[in-house]
Amino acid sequence: MKKFKNISTKTILLLGGLVIGLTGCSDDDDTSVNDGEVTSQFLKMDLNQFKKEDAGVFMQAFYWDVEPIGDWYNVINEKIEDYAAAGVNRIWLPAPGKGASGSFSMGYDPMDYFDVGEFSQRGDENVETRFGSREELESLIEKSHANGIGVIADIVMGHNSGGGLQDNPLRPGDTEVFSLFNEANGNASGKFNRSYEHFHPNDIHANDEQALFFEKTDLCHDQPYVQDWLWKRDDSVAEFYKSLGFDGWRFDYVKSFAPKWVTEWNNKVGGFSVGENFDGNQDVLKDWVDASGSPAFDFACFYRLDETLDRAQDLTALGDADNMLRKLDPDMAVTFVANHDTEKDENEDNRISYAKKLLAYSYILTHDGYPTIFYLDYEAFRDQLKTLIEIYNTLAVGDVEVIEASKDEYIMKRSGSGDNPGLILYMNISGQTKTRTVKTNWANRTLVDYTDNSRATPTTDGEGNALLQAPAGGYAIWSVTK
């Protein structure tokens, strides 16, 4: 994750304002749409009347190498009221169990699933995880629930780290593996002790035909003992996390185990779930959600946004049919613009640039799918994202119709439902203001941009046609006035 060592949050906020605030002059400009210069704020409808029954967005409430170490649960605890007021209905926390890296672990090197910050491991006097103590975790979950926010645990069940060294006789010529987990070897809780037979290869098979993440300590989910301790027992990992108050699960790197194990986990303990199938192929994602019955992060959508906004700088592909999970199965698509992996320092060429972040958020927060907000993005673009979240939770309803998808422009219409008028998103990545006549769903109505990126107040004719605009390098979201 970028640490922003030489750039302050204030600077990032100013950058965010510039990204959406620039309005250039060009032959595409049409000043007639600004006739009257009416302040659009006074024309807006009260969007609360359109709040959806299932309103809410997902918040990834951490980034890679969060600081301060040992206090992260308290940091997020202080933000819960703001998240709730903004329209967040779930937060995703990092894997809560103790990792092999101790107080430096981000949870992706799981060692003791049952140590959520209350045991000393391998002589380490510090009992807390990188994120805090069990008491602080439970306090955060309790406060989240009091504010109507569900809490999702990161589940890393494909591989383990930090066990004691032992021989695995089923590994010819390479028998030594760190696969012994007991009270003296990284499992101070004494629950779910493991040995080499619980990893690959074992007496059932050499591997489970899935991609191996850490080949020597790849957990074998076909072993009944592993199934029992992960989700089947009344005191399993799943039931323990549920007892802490977790409401659902984010399954890490699901390529390393069969989708049926996600199905079994969910059937046993219930709750919301989402899988991290790190793949930009929408068909791969669709096959996985069909097999697991769980939603998945829409990496195909992420890569299309990265491609169109940054690498190609051409929005045409956003109009292609069926090139994202949200287009194939919107109810199973969890969309996102950034996460802890895409924002790591080494991923400079595998991320959406900060200059294009709000354009990407304008896309996922107006289309179907369940959008995710990344912690650092919210810190950088708080006001703009609050506006987009409000729009998503109210006006972003009805069928999606792409009106224009060309090099510089993307225009999409949501049809609305009942009294809800829906919206029109107009994205523009050129260096000048763009205008285009668009056929809307609204006849003889005055329109306004609910993001305030344009102050124009165009009027539709009797057939619903209106001259809309989008600022240079920015977006506008149009709907009717009150």
Side-chain angles (χ1 to χ4, degrees):
M1 155 73 237
K2 259 193 185 303
K3 306 296 192 302
F4 302 113
K5 293 178 181 177
N6 299 312
I7 183 170
S8 67
T9 300
K10 181 178 180 181
T11 303
I12 297 171
L13 286 166
L14 289 172
L15 173 62
L18 288 171
V19 167
I20 65 169
L22 295 173
T23 53
C25 296
S26 73
D27 292 337
D28 294 299
D29 292 347
D30 189 318
T31 56
S32 66
V33 296
N34 290 309
D35 287 346
E37 290 296 324
V38 179
T39 302
S40 59
Q41 286 282 359
F42 299 107
L43 299 175
K44 292 180 181 177
M45 299 178 291
D46 178 3
L47 296 186
N48 286 326
Q49 64 183 306
F50 303 120
K51 189 171 182 179
K52 298 183 285 192
E53 290 185 6
D54 60 346
V57 300
F58 201 18
M59 172 72 74
Q60 179 174 359
F62 65 98
Y63 58 93
W64 194 254
D65 288 346
V66 296
E67 293 180 350
I69 290 176
D71 202 41
W72 192 249
Y73 292 142
N74 293 330
V75 169
I76 299 302
N77 197 311
E78 294 299 314
K79 299 178 182 292
I80 291 301
E81 290 97 339
D82 178 61
Y83 289 170
V88 172
N89 69 338
R90 291 188 181 96
I91 60 170
W92 159 24
L93 296 181
K98 191 69 66 67
S101 305
S103 60
F104 294 98
S105 172
M106 282 298 297
Y108 296 99
D109 53 349
M111 185 172 66
D112 189 340
Y113 289 96
F114 292 91
D115 181 2
V116 295
E118 55 182 329
F119 294 99
S120 174
Q121 300 275 3
R122 301 182 302 191
D124 187 352
E125 295 182 359
N126 181 32
V127 301
E128 294 187 347
T129 67
R130 185 181 189 116
F131 317 112
S133 67
R134 173 174 177 168
E135 180 181 12
E136 290 164 346
L137 170 60
E138 291 180 312
S139 174
L140 170 56
I141 293 174
E142 181 180 359
K143 186 172 183 180
S144 299
H145 289 168
N147 283 272
I149 294 177
V151 185
I152 308 305
D154 208 322
I155 304 299
V156 186
M157 68 176 190
H159 60 275
N160 291 167
S161 302
L165 188 64
Q166 64 177 169
D167 287 338
N168 182 347
L170 298 175
R171 295 184 60 86
D174 187 16
T175 62
E176 290 190 339
V177 290
F178 291 92
S179 54
L180 180 62
F181 293 83
N182 55 28
E183 289 86 340
N185 291 280
N187 203 52
S189 68
K191 295 182 176 182
F192 193 19
N193 285 334
R194 284 143 281 162
S195 188
Y196 72 84
E197 62 265 28
H198 305 125
F199 299 93
H200 292 113
N202 54 56
D203 57 6
I204 295 179
H205 51 201
N207 58 68
D208 56 7
E209 299 181 356
Q210 308 299 315
L212 301 180
F213 192 59
F214 290 112
E215 186 260 344
K216 287 189 176 183
T217 49
D218 182 69
L219 268 175
C220 178
H221 301 86
D222 289 281
Q223 291 284 3
Y225 178 85
V226 173
Q227 296 177 28
D228 288 345
W229 272 110
L230 283 178
W231 67 82
K232 285 187 174 180
R233 294 170 58 118
D234 290 339
D235 59 347
S236 67
V237 173
E239 294 291 352
F240 172 58
Y241 289 173
K242 189 174 179 180
S243 75
L244 293 172
F246 283 108
D247 306 286
W249 329 103
R250 179 266 187 187
F251 291 99
D252 178 68
Y253 195 65
V254 298
K255 285 180 177 290
S256 67
F257 51 89
K260 64 183 177 181
W261 305 130
V262 169
T263 306
E264 287 206 13
W265 176 299
N266 286 333
N267 286 344
K268 178 63 168 62
V269 297
F272 170 83
S273 74
V274 56
E276 185 212 24
N277 195 327
F278 210 127
D279 201 301
N281 186 319
Q282 63 277 2
D283 295 319
V284 171
L285 301 177
K286 175 61 173 167
D287 288 344
W288 187 86
V289 301
D290 288 345
S292 68
S294 170
F297 283 111
D298 194 348
F299 279 88
C301 178
F302 166 77
Y303 281 114
R304 298 301 88 73
L305 290 170
D306 180 32
E307 172 193 350
T308 57
L309 292 173
D310 277 328
R311 286 179 280 142
Q313 298 185 46
D314 183 340
L315 301 181
T316 305
L318 292 182
D320 293 347
D322 301 338
N323 65 350
M324 304 175 187
L325 178 59
R326 57 150 288 269
K327 295 181 180 181
L328 297 175
D329 196 344
D331 291 339
M332 301 296 272
V334 180
T335 54
F336 67 99
V337 169
N339 64 31
H340 60 292
D341 284 321
T342 67
E343 294 290 301
K344 289 179 184 176
D345 286 337
E346 61 267 28
N347 283 342
E348 291 287 351
D349 297 324
N350 191 31
R351 66 172 67 176
I352 297 170
S353 65
Y354 259 80
K356 303 294 177 63
K357 281 284 182 75
L358 286 171
L359 278 160
Y361 277 111
S362 77
Y363 183 92
I364 70 168
L365 287 163
T366 51
H367 288 72
D368 41 18
Y370 181 37
T372 308
I373 311 298
F374 182 52
Y375 174 86
L376 286 173
D377 291 344
Y378 186 78
E379 293 294 301
F381 304 114
R382 186 185 310 268
D383 291 342
Q384 297 97 321
L385 286 177
K386 282 185 174 181
T387 296
L388 288 172
I389 292 169
E390 181 184 29
I391 290 170
Y392 173 80
N393 283 332
T394 55
L395 296 176
V397 298
D399 294 338
V400 173
E401 178 186 347
V402 177
I403 297 172
E404 174 71 18
S406 55
K407 179 174 174 52
D408 293 333
E409 297 169 89
Y410 175 82
I411 305 174
M412 179 276 297
K413 176 169 64 177
R414 295 296 297 267
S415 63
S417 178
D419 293 334
N420 189 321
L423 58 80
I424 293 175
L425 167 69
Y426 193 161
M427 297 169 61
N428 168 24
I429 62 171
S430 77
Q432 57 195 20
T433 299
K434 290 284 187 177
T435 61
R436 184 174 290 270
T437 298
V438 176
K439 185 172 180 57
T440 77
N441 294 325
W442 318 299
N444 300 313
R445 297 293 300 270
T446 300
L447 309 184
V448 68
D449 170 21
Y450 278 79
T451 69
D452 288 328
N453 293 332
S454 170
R455 294 290 179 168
T457 54
T459 301
T460 63
D461 63 21
E463 296 181 349
N465 298 302
L467 187 64
L468 304 185
Q469 69 172 216
Y475 58 90
I477 301 175
W478 299 95
S479 192
V480 299
T481 56
K482 57 186 175 182

